[in-house]
Amino acid sequence: MDLSELFGEGWCMTLAHLAPAQALKSMGVRDVTDVTDGLQLATERLEADGTPSDVLLLGRELRDGWSLIVELEGTQGWAGMDRAVLEALSASGRVAASAFEDPNQLMVHVAADGQVVCELDAVTGRLPYAAADTEQTVEGLLSLGFSRGDEPTGQVAAVDAADRVVLALRAVTGVELQEEDFEGSWLGGLSAAGR
C-alpha cells in the first residue's frame, strides 16, 4: 500500500488503539458525526479557496481495536503529529503512531504509554530521535533495518520511502493497512488541534 500514491503530497494518518469517536475527540474534534463520503469531502475542502481555521479529521474502526484517523489539511500543522495529541492517544499503556507527508518530508512518530518514544525519517530510513528507555518499542523498527545513524539495512534498504512508512506502522502497531481501509463511510468532524 502506497499512502503517497493514495493521498498525494499532503496528508497525515494516525493509528490509535481506541474507538474511532474517542480517538477523534482526543484529537480535538468537538462534534463527531457520520461522514458518508469523507475523503471526497476532504478533497473538496482542499480545493476550496482560503485556509480553514479548523481541519476535517476522518476516522474509522480497523481491526483488533485499532482506529485509523486521516487528515488532508495540513496548512497550519497536522493534528496527528502534535506531541500532546499523540501522548493523549497513547495514555494508559496504549500505543499510537502517526505518519505524515509534506513536500520533501515523510515522517513517522510513535508514542507509547503517554510519551512520544521515537521519530522516524522514512526518506533516510533513520531514527533521528528514540527515547533511551523504550528499546522494546524501537526494537521492531531496528530489526527491519531502520537505523539510529548509519545507512538503513535489510527490508528498509530494499524499499522506497512510501513503503518504509507502511513497514514502520506495521512494526509498532501490528496493523496491516489495506486499500479497503480507506473506502466507504467515516466518522469525522472539525478540529483545531495541531495549531
Side-chain angles (χ1 to χ4, degrees):
M1 155 135 271
D2 187 332
L3 298 170
S4 300
E5 186 175 294
L6 180 66
F7 294 123
E9 283 190 340
W11 54 266
C12 181
M13 189 194 70
T14 302
L15 294 170
H17 205 241
L18 291 168
Q22 187 179 0
L24 286 164
K25 287 182 180 184
S26 292
M27 295 179 78
V29 175
R30 296 175 295 277
D31 298 311
V32 176
T33 60
D34 290 324
V35 183
T36 304
D37 195 357
L39 292 180
Q40 180 61 36
L41 177 59
T43 300
E44 290 169 6
R45 285 176 56 90
L46 283 174
E47 293 170 352
D49 291 335
T51 302
S53 59
D54 291 342
V55 297
L56 177 65
L57 300 184
L58 302 170
R60 66 161 27 132
E61 187 173 354
L62 292 178
R63 296 155 292 285
D64 301 321
W66 287 92
S67 291
L68 167 66
I69 311 297
V70 171
E71 54 187 300
L72 301 179
E73 303 169 37
T75 54
Q76 298 178 18
W78 299 110
M81 299 307 284
D82 183 273
R83 284 184 85 86
V85 167
L86 274 173
E87 289 167 355
L89 290 171
S90 69
S92 302
R94 292 186 302 269
V95 171
S98 289
F100 82 97
E101 180 173 10
D102 278 335
N104 303 318
Q105 290 188 76
L106 193 50
M107 301 287 293
V108 177
H109 290 191
V110 180
D113 200 19
Q115 77 173 45
V116 174
V117 295
C118 75
E119 298 173 2
L120 182 147
D121 182 334
V123 174
T124 65
R126 293 186 176 107
L127 296 159
Y129 168 76
D133 61 346
T134 57
E135 285 305 313
Q136 184 176 355
T137 304
V138 175
E139 187 60 39
L141 297 171
L142 295 173
S143 70
L144 290 172
F146 289 104
S147 168
R148 288 186 183 267
D150 299 326
E151 291 298 314
T153 61
Q155 285 181 283
V156 176
V159 297
D160 65 15
D163 289 331
R164 290 173 180 172
V165 169
V166 175
L167 279 173
L169 291 172
R170 185 176 59 225
V172 297
T173 67
V175 174
E176 179 77 42
L177 291 171
Q178 302 166 9
E179 287 189 28
E180 55 265 20
D181 292 334
F182 299 91
E183 298 170 356
S185 297
W186 297 77
L187 290 176
L190 298 177
S191 170
R195 306 281 180 254

